[in-house]
Amino acid sequence: MRRRTFGRTAGTGVLVAVALTALVTGCGIRTTSVPVDAGAAPSRVPCSVSGQSPSATAAQGVPVRVFLVCGSQLEAVDRRTPLPEEKAGGNPVATATGLLAQLLAEPSDDERQAGFTTAVRGPLVVGGAHKGDPAGTLRLSRQPEDLTPVALSQIVCTFSASSAGAGEHTVLLGGPGPYAPKRYQCTTELKERPESTPPTTAPPATAGTTAVPDAPGTAPAG
C-alpha cells in the first residue's frame, strides 16, 4: 500500500509540474538565462558632440549656437563663426548672416556621427528691413512660407536665440516681396516637432504709420 501511495504521489507531482509549465508558457513567459530589460530600447543617435577645448578654438571665431535636426527634433549645437566679435552683437543682419551660413553648411564629421543633419538649403541669403517694416525685421531672399517647415523651424529657433531675434524667443521675418513680416516664435513644441509650422503673432506696429484695422477673424496686433 505504501508503494502505491508513493507512486500516486510522485505521479501527482509530475502532473502539477507539467501544469505549471503549461500555465507559464500560456502566459507568454519564456525562461531565459539572459536578463531582460523591460525599458525602452536605447537610442543609437547620441545627438551630442564633444566640444573642443577653448584654447583649440579661441582663434577660430565667435561662439554661436545653431539648431540642427537630430532624431526628428531640433537640438542646439555650439559652433564658431568667423564673424568679427565687434559685429557679433551689434548688427542683427550681420549676426543673422553668420548664423544662416552655419545652417547652410554641411554638418561636420563629428556632427554627422552624432546624428545631426540640416534641412536648410541654398541659395538663401538674409538682409535687413524694408521701408515701413518694424525695427529688427530680417528679410530672407525667399518667402519664409516657401521653405520647408523643418528648414524654417531651424532658422526661427536659431535667429530667435541670438541677438538677431526680437526677444521672447521670437524673430521678425519676411521675404523679398511686399508682404508684411511676421513674428515667428520658437517654442518647445516646435523643437520637438519641427515639421510643424512655426507659430506666428502679429508684428509690432511701425512708428509713424497709421494702424490698419484688423481683418475680421484675425487677432489684434500685440
Side-chain angles (χ1 to χ4, degrees):
M1 295 297 291
R2 292 182 178 177
R3 291 181 179 177
R4 292 180 180 177
T5 302
F6 176 79
R8 286 197 297 269
T9 303
T12 302
V14 172
L15 291 175
V16 172
V18 172
L20 289 175
T21 302
L23 179 61
V24 171
T25 304
C27 292
I29 302 174
R30 295 181 296 176
T31 58
T32 175
S33 59
V34 180
V36 177
D37 182 8
S43 174
R44 295 184 178 180
V45 181
C47 293
S48 178
V49 181
S50 299
Q52 296 178 331
S53 63
S55 59
T57 58
Q60 297 179 11
V62 177
V64 294
R65 175 164 290 185
V66 298
F67 282 87
L68 301 181
V69 184
C70 189
S72 301
Q73 297 184 356
L74 295 186
E75 298 287 347
V77 175
D78 293 325
R79 286 185 175 177
R80 294 267 172 172
T81 175
L83 183 69
E85 189 169 3
E86 62 271 14
K87 294 183 179 180
N91 188 331
V93 176
T95 299
T97 298
L99 293 172
L100 182 59
Q102 294 293 322
L103 292 173
L104 288 167
E106 289 295 327
S108 66
D109 292 340
D110 290 342
E111 290 169 347
R112 282 196 299 269
Q113 291 177 6
F116 288 100
T117 61
T118 181
V120 183
R121 297 287 183 266
L124 186 65
V125 296
V126 60
H130 288 179
K131 184 178 180 180
D133 285 346
T137 297
L138 299 171
R139 290 273 182 173
L140 299 173
S141 57
R142 294 164 59 188
Q143 279 298 128
E145 297 83 359
D146 292 340
L147 302 175
T148 66
V150 176
L152 180 57
S153 297
Q154 283 186 253
I155 293 173
V156 168
C157 287
T158 298
F159 284 4
S160 65
S162 72
S163 59
E168 299 181 352
H169 307 288
T170 66
V171 60
L172 290 168
L173 276 182
Y179 304 104
K182 297 179 181 179
R183 183 193 291 269
Y184 292 88
Q185 184 177 19
C186 178
T187 62
T188 300
E189 291 76 14
L190 184 65
K191 295 176 185 177
E192 294 175 350
R193 297 180 59 85
E195 73 279 3
S196 58
T197 303
T200 60
T201 59
T206 306
T209 60
T210 303
V212 179
D214 295 320
T218 58

